[in-house]
Amino acid sequence: MSENAHLTNAPELTVSELSGALKRAIEDQFDHVRLRGEISNYRGPHSSGHCYFSLKDANARIDAVIWKGTFLRLRTKPQEGLEVIATGRITTFPGKSSYQIVIEQLEPAGAGALMALLEERRKKLAAEGLFDEARKKKLPFLPGVIGIVTSPTGAVIRDILHRLGDRFPRRVLVWPVRVQGETSAGEVAAAIRGFNALQSGGAIPRPDLLIVARGGGSLEDLWSFNEEEVLRAAAESRIPLISAIGHETDWTLLDLVADLRAPTPTGAAEKAVPVRAELLTDLADRARRLDAAALRLLDRRRADLRALARALPGPENLLAIPRQKLDRSGDRLRAVLAAGLSRRQLALANASRLLARHAPHAEVQRATGRLNNLAFRLGAARVALVQKRRERLTALAARFSAARLASLTLLRNDFRARDEKRRALAARLDAAARAILSRRREALGHAEKMLAAVGYEAVLRRGFALARDAAGAPVRSVVQAPDGARLTLQFADGRIAATAGPPLDAAPPRKRPVRSPKAKPGGQGDLF
């Protein structure tokens, strides 16, 4: 009863009142703090002029804000990955139930761990020559197939496909990968190597150009594209590669290794293919320029023809001087009119022939013939140029086919050489195995002969006997054969049973064995 009354009598607070109380408590307690951390997720000033980012260390992260007026006064501007010491006050953001630091002063404290690692890796790969411009390949002008390494579900692939469709539709192969996380680097490297492993003319066509793309993010989000396995896979790629990681302000080591860096994934699509409409417009413009040049040539020839026609003397000018001479000759030589008239008529005839030879209509006809000849030659030259371009394209296609056939022939020859080498190695292995087996058999035969030479059966064949007790154990001493013990005597040709008698105290002197006259030479005589 008292507990319920206590809960009922507690003052009620609104969310705003509680947020305000927390804000006042935190601001009173942490009105001046100095934080050391690494700047993360910095994208430059906002459109309002304020800056929003985070400060982090190995275990924690705090949001940070720099107001526009403070940002303009700062001597040290924030940079991604920079380790800084920030001075300011802690406050809360009621609309998000979070706390943040309002920075009033910023000073550098050294590069962050990730940035230091990135710089160390950059220097190492630069020393190996992975960033050299000489090793970078030229992009194809119009690739037939484009391979894209990116996430299949993000907006990046949609932007690239949309831009390619607008500019010049091409066939696209997408190799889906994770663009963030622990397995991202391995998947991206495997995708680059997988595209390079495709064979030309196979069921899946080999791309003419690769695009590795991802949207924007922090340094940690883009870290997969700074991993060494991704960079070495890009450097080993025989297919030209475009890096399109993040926004224009983002950069990774893949941008330095790639054959071309695009500021955005959409920019990568723009650099991959030309604009089809612009190509058609350029082609039409060149055709118009060719037609205009032909028309200008015809106009120039017509103008030259008119100038030549104007330069020709008229009939009156040609006959003026002869007429004048004729008049004077008539006045002076009336007495010899007949003879002089004949000479003048002859001169007049010569002048007439000269005039006929240089008549304007004849010159016009000759100029028209030359003009027609030039027009015909121009048309033939145009046809010949088109034919020459077609023959050049045909020759290029034939050279491409021959090169492709030569490559396939080289691969077949290499395969045959490897197969012959394998067969030779197999033959050598069989010969070696047979030689080892023969040596082992010879060693076994020698061992068998040695065993036969040192075994007790050889001793028995020389006339000795082996005594065994009832248990089958060899009897080596008189002590082991008491009186009445049953023994078995083994000879070379069989076994007999025997009974042990009492031991003899004095053994008879050993006599020299006498060779039996019937014994074979080298045989064993009787020992008893």
Side-chain angles (χ1 to χ4, degrees):
M1 185 77 176
S2 61
E3 182 179 358
N4 293 336
H6 174 70
L7 294 176
T8 303
N9 293 332
E12 296 180 353
L13 296 177
T14 64
V15 176
S16 299
E17 290 174 346
L18 178 60
S19 298
L22 291 173
K23 181 179 179 67
R24 288 190 297 273
I26 291 176
E27 290 181 350
D28 291 342
Q29 182 68 26
F30 303 99
D31 60 338
H32 182 79
V33 295
R34 285 170 57 85
L35 288 181
R36 182 189 185 101
E38 178 182 338
I39 296 177
S40 178
N41 291 333
Y42 177 69
R43 293 292 179 268
H46 193 265
S47 59
S48 61
H50 310 314
C51 297
Y52 303 96
F53 52 92
S54 300
L55 290 176
K56 67 174 184 178
D57 58 12
N59 301 315
R61 176 193 299 264
I62 182 173
D63 293 336
V65 59
I66 302 178
W67 303 126
K68 178 179 179 181
T70 305
F71 177 78
L72 297 176
R73 294 193 303 270
L74 288 179
R75 296 181 59 184
T76 301
K77 304 297 183 184
Q79 299 179 16
E80 179 70 16
L82 184 65
E83 190 174 1
V84 297
I85 298 176
T87 304
R89 55 187 176 86
I90 304 299
T91 183
T92 64
F93 182 64
K96 195 178 178 182
S97 298
S98 63
Y99 62 93
Q100 61 186 8
I101 178 173
V102 179
I103 297 176
E104 299 172 355
Q105 185 178 355
L106 199 65
E107 55 185 293
L114 288 179
M115 294 299 294
L117 177 60
L118 188 64
E119 180 63 18
E120 180 182 358
R121 184 170 296 170
R122 186 191 68 80
K123 292 180 179 178
K124 172 187 174 183
L125 298 179
E128 295 180 11
L130 265 66
F131 305 152
D132 294 345
E133 292 295 330
R135 54 159 296 277
K136 295 189 178 182
K137 297 171 286 297
K138 184 179 180 181
L139 302 184
F141 175 72
L142 185 61
V145 181
I146 300 176
I148 301 177
V149 180
T150 188
S151 172
T153 58
V156 171
I157 185 62
R158 292 194 298 270
D159 293 342
I160 294 177
L161 294 177
H162 178 70
R163 180 61 66 184
L164 290 176
D166 288 345
R167 292 175 66 86
F168 206 124
R170 298 280 85 189
R171 183 172 183 179
V172 175
L173 298 179
V174 179
W175 195 301
V177 296
R178 294 182 178 91
V179 295
Q180 183 176 342
E182 297 180 358
T183 63
S184 172
E187 293 181 9
V188 173
I192 296 174
R193 292 191 172 97
F195 273 131
N196 278 269
L198 294 176
Q199 299 295 328
S200 299
I204 301 177
R206 189 171 187 264
D208 302 316
L209 180 67
L210 295 183
I211 298 177
V212 180
R214 188 207 188 279
S218 64
L219 179 62
E220 295 88 345
D221 297 337
L222 305 179
W223 190 254
S224 299
F225 302 94
N226 293 317
E227 294 291 349
E228 190 167 346
E229 59 178 327
V230 175
L231 304 178
R232 295 196 179 277
E236 296 167 2
S237 176
R238 299 184 302 275
I239 304 174
L241 187 143
I242 298 178
S243 171
I245 307 302
H247 303 297
E248 189 169 1
T249 57
D250 298 323
W251 71 274
T252 63
L253 293 181
L254 182 61
D255 297 333
L256 303 178
V257 178
D259 299 303
L260 181 67
R261 176 190 181 269
T264 61
T266 304
E270 294 175 353
K271 294 180 180 297
V273 295
V275 180
R276 184 174 183 271
E278 292 180 357
L279 292 179
L280 294 176
T281 302
D282 182 67
L283 184 61
D285 181 63
R286 291 176 182 271
R288 286 193 299 270
R289 289 171 60 188
L290 180 60
D291 294 339
L295 292 176
R296 286 194 301 271
L297 178 61
L298 292 176
D299 291 340
R300 188 161 57 248
R301 296 301 184 187
R302 291 192 183 98
D304 294 342
L305 180 61
R306 285 192 295 267
L308 290 174
R310 286 194 300 269
L312 291 175
E316 296 295 331
N317 294 331
L318 292 176
L319 296 177
I321 294 177
R323 284 175 180 173
Q324 186 177 5
K325 289 181 178 181
L326 180 61
D327 293 339
R328 290 181 179 180
S329 299
D331 293 338
R332 292 194 307 265
L333 302 174
R334 291 181 180 277
V336 289
L337 180 60
L341 182 59
S342 299
R343 288 194 301 271
R344 297 309 177 187
Q345 286 178 349
L346 181 59
L348 182 60
N350 292 334
S352 298
R353 286 193 300 270
L354 180 62
L355 180 61
R357 198 163 48 246
H358 295 281
H361 65 276
E363 293 291 339
V364 170
Q365 289 178 355
R366 284 194 293 272
T368 303
R370 288 196 299 271
L371 182 61
N372 293 333
N373 186 26
L374 289 175
F376 176 76
R377 289 172 60 188
L378 179 61
R382 183 176 181 182
V383 173
L385 179 61
V386 173
Q387 183 64 25
K388 184 177 180 181
R389 293 291 176 86
R390 289 177 180 171
E391 292 176 354
R392 184 178 179 184
L393 290 177
T394 304
L396 289 176
R399 289 174 59 189
F400 177 76
S401 300
R404 180 180 175 186
L405 181 60
S407 177
L408 292 177
T409 303
L410 184 61
L411 290 177
R412 292 194 188 100
N413 293 337
D414 183 66
F415 176 77
R416 291 172 183 170
R418 290 177 181 271
D419 186 61
E420 292 176 358
K421 185 177 180 181
R422 179 189 62 78
R423 293 179 181 177
L425 290 175
R428 291 174 59 187
L429 180 61
D430 292 340
R434 286 194 296 270
I436 292 174
L437 183 59
S438 177
R439 289 195 295 271
R440 295 292 174 84
R441 286 175 179 171
E442 291 178 359
L444 181 60
H446 293 322
E448 289 178 352
K449 292 178 181 179
M450 185 175 290
L451 179 62
V454 300
Y456 71 92
E457 289 85 353
V459 178
L460 294 181
R461 284 194 296 271
R462 292 199 300 269
F464 293 95
L466 175 62
R468 297 180 183 271
D469 58 12
V475 178
R476 294 182 175 86
S477 175
V478 174
V479 179
Q480 293 179 335
D483 187 15
R486 298 187 62 82
L487 301 175
T488 301
L489 299 180
Q490 182 178 353
F491 297 91
D493 56 350
R495 299 182 181 182
I496 62 173
T499 302
L504 301 178
D505 293 336
R510 184 175 181 183
K511 298 182 179 180
R512 184 180 181 87
V514 180
R515 185 184 301 268
S516 177
K518 296 182 180 180
K520 295 181 180 180
Q524 179 67 40
D526 190 0
L527 297 178
F528 299 98

